[in-house]
Amino acid sequence: MEPVPALLTENKRKHIIGVRANVWNEYISPTQQVEYMLLPRIAALAEVQWTQPKIKNYQDLAKYLVNLITFYEKDGLNCVNIYLILKQNINLIFNTKQLQLT
């Protein structure tokens, strides 16, 4: 959730000014495949970039993505919907940095 590694010195951290999500669509066809490669990943990337580190919360993001995917699908967009399948089965263990899927 944080694009700037904590291990970097402040002198090196200042060179990281943002994030990006490249999709080389000249190699991806049709449009539905481009949508699949971008949605909802681009929303998650926006969350990583625009949300202040102190208030980032993966559980909140996961809930938001479930709602966003529903919106995408209602609009006829082709998106990764694995979050809808897993939403009830995710257990985040922050003190050990683990993600448990059951």
Side-chain angles (χ1 to χ4, degrees):
M1 294 282 293
E2 186 55 48
V4 181
L7 299 174
L8 291 180
T9 64
E10 187 58 39
N11 189 40
K12 291 182 180 178
R13 291 171 65 96
K14 69 180 181 182
H15 295 289
I16 300 175
I17 58 174
V19 298
R20 65 181 182 186
N22 295 337
V23 175
W24 308 108
N25 66 347
E26 63 269 21
Y27 299 110
I28 303 173
S29 182
T31 301
Q32 290 81 9
Q33 185 63 23
V34 175
E35 291 171 358
Y36 182 83
M37 299 301 290
L38 284 174
L39 304 172
R41 294 175 183 99
I42 200 75
L45 182 73
E47 178 77 9
V48 166
Q49 175 63 27
W50 296 335
T51 303
Q52 295 298 315
K54 292 179 182 178
I55 60 172
K56 287 182 184 177
N57 183 305
Y58 180 81
Q59 292 162 326
D60 289 344
L61 175 61
K63 291 175 190 173
Y64 170 74
L65 290 178
V66 169
N67 293 329
L68 186 60
I69 290 167
T70 302
F71 173 79
Y72 288 153
E73 290 176 342
K74 284 181 182 176
D75 205 30
L77 298 171
N78 185 31
C79 64
V80 175
N81 62 5
I82 190 70
Y83 302 101
L84 294 178
I85 297 167
L86 297 176
K87 71 177 184 176
Q88 300 299 322
N89 302 318
I90 296 175
N91 183 25
L92 300 170
I93 308 167
F94 288 104
N95 60 337
T96 61
K97 297 182 180 178
Q98 293 179 349
L99 174 67
Q100 182 181 39
L101 302 175
T102 55

